[in-house]
């Protein structure tokens, strides 16, 4: 494949190169390494991580001083690749075209006579930004290689963790009453934003009885009303038990049935329609 | 590092066994060598290795699956000291859920979510159930029949309480909170101390 | 077994470190002793232990989380003979992205693309995230609020590093870059060592 060179018609590649001066010496021919066989393009495109990578390769292989890049041959070489890639219908990332435009712009700016007022030489060099990016990228590229070379668990070494003789009994978290209090404090504090929770001591006792009664009714069958009262609790206990039952009824957690007046009263969990006593 | 002597190969064996996650059979260990020395040689080296480790805190053992390094049981009391430090803690979600079940029982998961203002994961409930601190005591008779949770006898026992009425009273807490009245700072150590005296 | 001499305690330390599933900091290792010997003594014993293991296939290493034994990389070719599957190899795109996050953190995907000169696929980021080597540490306060990536503690651990300062120093290119007179990177000779302050 003959690669078209993006050079002015009057210039042969030799002339174009001769225009460039490397380290003060006229560059008569591009270093051989700058050329990559065109049929290797596909491999090359895969091998490079992007336009910066390709440019770095061209520069480093040609032993060009990165701080004084000969823009004309580099741009020509770069465009050659881009053109060839496009000609081979390889999927070319937009970044390669963007870089081509950037190189052409730098090249053309360097051809322009420098305005005399541009005193700050270095800043005026149109290549400065490109050089900065190339160097930063190269640094990260080398860093990537070093990180890859760094011994890595699983690939280069294994952590030692020999079996421990006895299986240690799993420790369960400790919870103190204080923890519970603090937890509740947080809840209340958050809830206060919406509404106020008032939970009183008596109510708690009722709630405890509610739980107890629900447990008694846990089987799903009927339990005689009287059996839910523990006489040893004394009058206050009986009242609380009764309040608990009322509360359960109110919250529709239990059903109360009585087949006839003065017949035994039965309770069961709501929703258990089956087995009558 | 190019092992040549039997001692070198013993180092390779030792390294492989120390770095292994499971017991290694002799048949596997033979793969380590450049040239298979046969099972007898490997066994002899393993025996030597076992002797080398005899006065250490780790021993080389022959178990069902092959050979394996293990810490000696005599050292366990020291290793246990390291575990003490990492006593696990329940998350805030678990503690708050427990508090709500304790103070508001019986409650559904929906109730808990309503009070906390956030959804309660199944994991939180399961943590408390598997700890044996809460269980299902019934179902509320509403669509979906959600489970009603309550604290267990074991919860009271492990908290050192005779009954739920011995839980720290909430009215006191709320009173303190009203006095302190911090709009967005969680209760300070001061209020926590006050709570302790209740 | 009742340890009395420093050598006995070294055995206990060794056993704890060999049996640990993670790096152990000196503060934790102090708990092993009947009486806390203080950090200096523990460090001295650890140093002795490290020397004791010098010609073995396993080495004692100080990493981010503390001290930990690991197999020496030179022995990996032997250990690999026992492995069913090889450790994953990462593409240059992944490695370069990792390097940029490691040395320039915190960075956005845009920053990475700027340096690499190509777009960074979501797959590359996801590879590093799912390996647990990078994660999102915040968002840059610019339109779109892009995520800021940084390396994780696990990255350090798996690389056997104590801190980012132990990353391989950046090539001296940076010195050359000073000559270029960069508009926004202030020239420093120490920037390679100071990555964690960037």
């Amino acid at each position: 494949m003959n690669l078209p060179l993006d050079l002015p018609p009057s210039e042969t590649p030799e002339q174009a190169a001769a225009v460039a001066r490397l380290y003060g010496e006229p560059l008569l021919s591009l270093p051989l390494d700058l050329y990559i066989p065109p049929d290797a393009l596909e491999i090359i495109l895969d091998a490079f991580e992007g336009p910066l990578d390709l440019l770095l390769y061209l520069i480093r292989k040609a032993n060009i001083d990165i701080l004084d890049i000969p823009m004309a041959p580099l741009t020509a070489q770069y465009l050659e690749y881009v053109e060839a890639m496009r000609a081979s219908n390889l999927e070319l990332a937009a970044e390669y075209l963007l870089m081509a435009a950037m190189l052409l712009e730098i090249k053309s700016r360097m051809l322009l006579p420098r305005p005399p007022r541009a005193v700050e030489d270095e800043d005026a060099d149109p290549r400065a930004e490109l050089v900065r990016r190339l160097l930063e990228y190269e640094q990260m590229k080398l860093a990537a290689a070093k990180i890859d070379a760094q011994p890595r668990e699983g690939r280069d070494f294994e952590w030692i963790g020999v079996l421990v003789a006895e299986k240690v009994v799993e420790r369960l978290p400790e919870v103190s009453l204080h923890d519970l209090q603090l937890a509740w404090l947080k809840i209340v504090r958050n809830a206060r934003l919406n509404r106020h929770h008032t939970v009183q001591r008596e109510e708690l006792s009722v709630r405890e009885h509610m739980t107890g009664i629900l447990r008694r009714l846990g089987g799903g069958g009927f339990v005689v009303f009287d059996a839910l009262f523990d006489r040893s609790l004394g009058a206050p206990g009986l009242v609380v038990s009764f309040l608990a039952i009322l509360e359960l009824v109110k919250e529709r957690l239990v059903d109360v049935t009585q087949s006839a007046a003065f017949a035994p009263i039965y309770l069961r969990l709501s929703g258990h329609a089956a087995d009558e006593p | 590092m190019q092992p040549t002597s039997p001692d070198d190969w013993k180092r390779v064996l030792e390294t492989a066994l120390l770095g292994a996650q499971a017991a290694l059979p002799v048949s596997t260990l033979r793969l380590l060598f450049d040239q298979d020395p046969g099972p007898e040689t490997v066994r002899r080296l393993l025996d030597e290795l076992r002797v080398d480790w005899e006065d250490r805190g780790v021993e080389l053992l022959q178990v069902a699956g092959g050979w394996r390094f293990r810490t000696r049981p005599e050292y366990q009391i020291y290793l246990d000291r390291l575990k003490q430090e990492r006593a696990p803690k329940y998350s805030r979600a678990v503690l708050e859920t427990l508090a709500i079940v304790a103070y508001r029982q019986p409650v559904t998961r929906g109730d808990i979510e309503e009070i906390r203002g956030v959804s309660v994961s199944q994991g939180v409930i399961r943590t408390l159930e598997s700890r044996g601190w809460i269980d299902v005591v019934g179902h509320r008779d509403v669509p979906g029949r959600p489970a009603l949770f309550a604290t267990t006898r074991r919860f009271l026992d492990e908290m050192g309480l005779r009954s739920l009425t011995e839980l720290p009273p909430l009215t006191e807490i709320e009173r303190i909170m009203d006095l302190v009245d911090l709009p967005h700072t969680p209760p300070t150590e001061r209020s926590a101390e006050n709570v302790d005296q209740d």
Side-chain angles (χ1 to χ4, degrees), chain B residues 34-47:
Chain B
D34 288 338
Q35 288 176 341
D36 182 7
E40 285 319 312
T41 306
V42 174
R43 268 193 212 102
R44 208 188 55 243
L45 290 173
L46 287 166
D47 266 333

Side-chain angles (χ1 to χ4, degrees), chain B residues 12-119:
Chain B
V12 175
L13 273 176
E14 179 185 76
T15 305
L17 286 161
L18 283 171
Q21 301 301 309
L24 296 175
V26 171
S27 58
T28 300
L29 290 169
R30 282 160 65 183
L31 300 174
L32 287 170
F33 297 81
D34 288 338
Q35 288 176 341
D36 182 7
E40 285 319 312
T41 306
V42 174
R43 268 193 212 102
R44 208 188 55 243
L45 290 173
L46 287 166
D47 266 333
E48 285 181 35
L49 208 50
R50 173 156 57 188
V51 174
D52 292 347
W53 279 83
E54 238 160 26
D55 55 350
R56 312 287 280 273
V58 165
E59 60 188 331
L60 183 56
L61 286 175
Q62 198 175 359
V63 292
W67 293 72
R68 175 161 214 186
F69 275 110
R70 197 191 69 176
T71 61
R72 285 184 197 277
E74 307 94 275
Y75 282 75
Q76 195 57 35
I77 52 160
Y78 301 97
L79 305 195
D80 280 345
R81 292 177 183 174
L82 303 187
K83 312 274 174 201
Q84 302 297 325
E85 228 217 351
R86 276 171 272 153
K89 277 194 125 137
Y90 282 130
S91 67
R92 182 172 158 187
V94 169
L95 283 174
E96 291 191 4
T97 301
L98 178 61
I100 291 166
V101 176
Y103 284 103
R104 303 291 286 161
Q105 58 190 286
V107 289
T108 64
R109 191 158 141 188
D111 297 336
I112 299 166
E113 290 178 342
E114 214 212 327
I115 295 172
R116 290 196 62 222
V118 289
S119 71

Side-chain angles (χ1 to χ4, degrees), chain B residues 108-161:
Chain B
T108 64
R109 191 158 141 188
D111 297 336
I112 299 166
E113 290 178 342
E114 214 212 327
I115 295 172
R116 290 196 62 222
V118 289
S119 71
V120 172
S121 77
Q122 191 55 44
V124 166
I125 301 283
R126 216 177 293 126
T127 298
L128 291 169
E129 280 188 312
S130 66
R131 182 76 191 249
W133 281 354
I134 69 171
D135 63 0
V136 175
V137 293
H139 294 267
R140 185 168 291 157
D141 197 16
V142 293
R145 296 184 39 77
L148 283 163
F149 294 96
T151 53
T152 59
R153 176 81 229 171
R154 180 162 167 191
F155 166 75
L156 290 179
D157 287 346
E158 296 195 7
M159 288 289 153
L161 301 174

Side-chain angles (χ1 to χ4, degrees), chain A residues 47-53 60 66-67 93 95-96 122-123 128-129 131-133 135-148 150-164:
Chain A
F48 291 110
E49 284 296 314
L52 288 173
D53 200 22
R60 291 302 181 199
I66 201 166
L67 297 181
E95 292 94 348
Y96 283 92
E122 275 178 327
D123 282 350
E129 172 64 11
V131 169
R132 184 193 72 79
R133 290 189 63 190
L135 288 174
E136 176 158 39
Y137 174 65
E138 183 170 43
Q139 192 176 40
M140 285 302 130
K141 185 181 153 178
L142 294 171
K146 284 183 187 171
I147 282 188
D148 196 33
Q150 180 78 19
R152 186 192 304 166
E153 180 193 353
R155 189 191 64 179
D156 305 300
F157 66 86
E158 310 290 342
W159 293 118
I160 306 297
V162 304
L163 190 66
V164 171

